[in-house]
Amino acid sequence: SSTCAIPIPPEKELADLQGRLWTVCHRGQHVAVYVCVRSPHLRKRQIRLDLRCERLDASLEIADVALQFSQVQVESSVCGRIVLCSGPLQQRSAKVKANLDSSPFVAPVVFDLRCELEYTVKNDGGEAEAQKVPVELRLPATTFLVPQALGEDAMSDYISENPELLSHQTSQAVSFEKSVSDLPMLVGRCAGLCHFHGIQQASGQDMKFILVAATLPATATPLEGQSAAPSNALVICRCAALVRGSTLEMRVTVKAYQKDVADEICSQLVTTFRELIEGRLA
């Protein structure tokens, strides 16, 4: 079967798509905090987060909202403190960028980054009372992957020479009641958003794609609860897609060096396909 590289969208298009994937990381009595996880910057060894906050109680004056990071270094912050809103919070804050040091993230698994949300609330007497609330920012497993361009021959060699690094497998089947006119473009978008390189194996009604990624290079002491990926570990994903009338059937299979890595990356790929086909990126 002939193979060809699938088109990965340009950086600007991927950034536009990523910029629509905000999640709620905290919703309390007074304030909500939202996060959008961006692509890692490999040369600078950074992961960018976009953050914003929203006032939930209009009857109170809420001010000086900040997030305090303690587990990782944050660029151009004072001791890991990122100010989301200086002074009174009107309705929603502007978007604030936080560039995290990516060095301690040594495994491609979901990571809940612990932070502390700080803000003040004016009480009935007009005094500002300081509030501190623990918050977790969830970083998807694919945040810590790097696309790995491999031809079919090189991939076959890698698979036969490193069986222990692909000894765990996870598979999910999913179907969408929606016709997709350009499957390679869809898979290319998913690959780009999840930091994979992709090749197409077969064309026609039944299409097969292989996505390959390496782990972020480990250059620092791992964060608590993480163990470093083996130095030459790759994550290999097979996507089989079949269009039947107005239904798209897909099976996503991920092989990796550890079970939780395969599980969490497979789950994120399926979530991303869902967003692209029928969610916020459709």
Side-chain angles (χ1 to χ4, degrees):
S1 66
S2 63
T3 64
C4 61
I6 55 174
I8 304 289
E11 226 166 276
K12 185 182 183 309
E13 187 184 332
L14 286 176
D16 289 346
L17 291 170
Q18 279 174 340
R20 284 143 68 180
L21 295 175
W22 288 80
T23 55
V24 182
C25 55
H26 172 76
R27 195 172 188 86
Q29 183 185 348
H30 305 123
V31 177
V33 180
Y34 306 92
V35 63
C36 180
V37 182
R38 299 302 200 141
S39 290
H41 193 298
L42 299 177
R43 192 171 47 78
K44 292 184 178 177
R45 298 193 184 282
Q46 289 179 341
I47 294 167
R48 182 179 128 200
L49 306 181
D50 291 343
L51 298 156
R52 58 160 47 116
C53 59
E54 180 181 18
R55 186 176 72 176
L56 298 179
D57 190 334
S59 67
L60 296 170
E61 184 179 301
I62 289 151
D64 300 325
V65 187
L67 269 181
Q68 179 70 51
F69 291 83
S70 56
Q71 286 173 293
V72 291
Q73 300 284 316
V74 186
E75 184 189 53
S76 61
S77 68
V78 180
C79 303
R81 193 170 189 268
I82 292 286
V83 176
L84 302 184
C85 171
S86 184
L89 175 60
Q90 301 306 329
Q91 175 80 47
R92 278 191 168 196
S93 72
K95 184 171 70 179
V96 176
K97 295 176 191 173
N99 288 311
L100 313 182
D101 175 15
S102 66
S103 310
F105 296 101
V106 296
V109 289
V110 171
F111 193 85
D112 290 318
L113 193 60
R114 293 194 301 275
C115 308
E116 196 164 53
L117 174 66
E118 303 172 352
Y119 59 94
T120 62
V121 179
K122 266 199 182 160
N123 61 22
D124 296 340
E127 289 176 19
E129 291 181 356
Q131 309 284 324
K132 290 192 175 186
V133 186
V135 169
E136 287 190 341
L137 306 183
R138 172 154 285 202
L139 306 180
T142 51
T143 309
F144 314 111
L145 293 177
V146 184
Q148 182 76 38
L150 273 193
E152 204 169 19
D153 292 344
M155 197 176 339
S156 299
D157 291 345
Y158 178 87
I159 291 167
S160 60
E161 290 164 14
N162 299 280
E164 74 289 351
L165 295 181
L166 298 167
S167 55
H168 295 276
Q169 175 174 312
T170 305
S171 198
Q172 278 193 49
V174 60
S175 66
F176 302 98
E177 294 298 319
K178 196 166 181 183
S179 59
V180 174
S181 57
D182 191 338
L183 266 174
M185 187 177 83
L186 169 72
V187 177
R189 281 180 164 180
C190 183
L193 288 167
C194 294
H195 314 122
F196 280 88
H197 172 79
I199 57 175
Q200 183 178 339
Q201 274 196 308
S203 58
Q205 241 201 336
D206 189 3
M207 288 196 183
K208 289 183 179 156
F209 304 89
I210 297 180
L211 310 180
V212 189
T215 57
L216 279 180
T219 55
T221 307
L223 286 164
E224 182 190 341
Q226 284 210 332
S227 52
S231 59
N232 61 333
L234 295 181
V235 176
I236 296 181
C237 165
R238 295 179 189 274
C239 291
L242 181 62
V243 178
R244 293 186 189 278
S246 61
T247 304
L248 170 64
E249 292 178 9
M250 299 189 83
R251 176 169 286 279
V252 178
T253 303
V254 175
K255 287 190 170 190
Y257 66 94
Q258 215 168 271
K259 183 72 173 114
D260 58 344
V261 172
D263 288 350
E264 291 171 9
I265 288 174
C266 187
S267 173
Q268 184 62 23
L269 283 164
V270 169
T271 297
T272 305
F273 275 125
R274 193 166 271 128
E275 291 283 16
L276 285 162
I277 295 166
E278 57 185 23
R280 291 173 286 176
L281 307 181

